[in-house]
Amino acid sequence: MDQILGQVLRNAVWERLDMLADLAKEADSPALVSAARSELPRLTEGWRAMLSAHEPDERGDCPTCSTRWHRCKAPCSVWQVAHDHLVAGGLAHFHDSRRARRLRGSTAAAPPAQNRRAPASTGRHALVGDTGR
């Protein structure tokens, strides 16, 4: 049951992000201004809430990403992605691809996160993902 609810939650978030991306590409100026006024404060508050959960502790570790057996030094991947997308801007894709290749030990480019989609046979966002059964 938790897997189904988690998938429904994830699908709702992906759908909202898709809707906002489509709006940014296709809407006219008045619609964009209206969307910006309503959505930008929500998006910035969401980023702030997520980033505050990943603030380093007194040892310089991310309390959210760290486990009992493995400490994750700050900045964690959440802060790195935030910087890449909110500050670095156009360099983010280049930087992410290089880091992903380095971590994988491969020279193949990593697909950008914003291009992730569910398999075409299930639509853009299936309600229940493949559980491997």
Side-chain angles (χ1 to χ4, degrees), residues 45-57:
E45 284 304 310
W47 272 104
R48 288 171 200 230
M50 182 172 46
L51 292 171
S52 68
H54 292 267
E55 278 290 321
D57 62 16

Side-chain angles (χ1 to χ4, degrees), residues 62-128:
C62 173
T64 304
C65 295
S66 296
T67 67
R68 178 183 295 181
W69 300 278
H70 174 73
R71 306 309 301 167
C72 179
K73 284 292 180 198
C76 69
S77 62
V78 171
W79 273 98
Q80 292 169 9
V81 167
H83 181 270
D84 288 350
H85 290 278
L86 297 173
V87 179
L91 299 176
H93 180 271
F94 174 75
H95 182 67
D96 285 346
S97 295
R98 285 182 48 212
R99 184 177 357 160
R101 284 195 307 267
R102 199 169 45 247
L103 291 173
R104 285 194 323 261
S106 167
T107 58
Q114 66 268 26
N115 290 338
R116 281 184 290 194
R117 294 285 183 255
S121 62
T122 60
R124 281 172 48 158
H125 305 285
L127 275 181
V128 180

Side-chain angles (χ1 to χ4, degrees), residues 31-49:
L32 285 174
V33 169
S34 176
R37 286 189 176 136
S38 66
E39 297 299 326
L40 283 175
R42 292 171 50 159
L43 290 170
T44 56
E45 284 304 310
W47 272 104
R48 288 171 200 230

Side-chain angles (χ1 to χ4, degrees), residues 15-37:
E15 290 291 334
R16 183 66 171 199
L17 291 172
D18 289 342
M19 184 272 304
L20 290 171
D22 291 344
L23 180 68
K25 288 179 199 169
E26 300 167 9
D28 60 3
S29 293
L32 285 174
V33 169
S34 176
R37 286 189 176 136

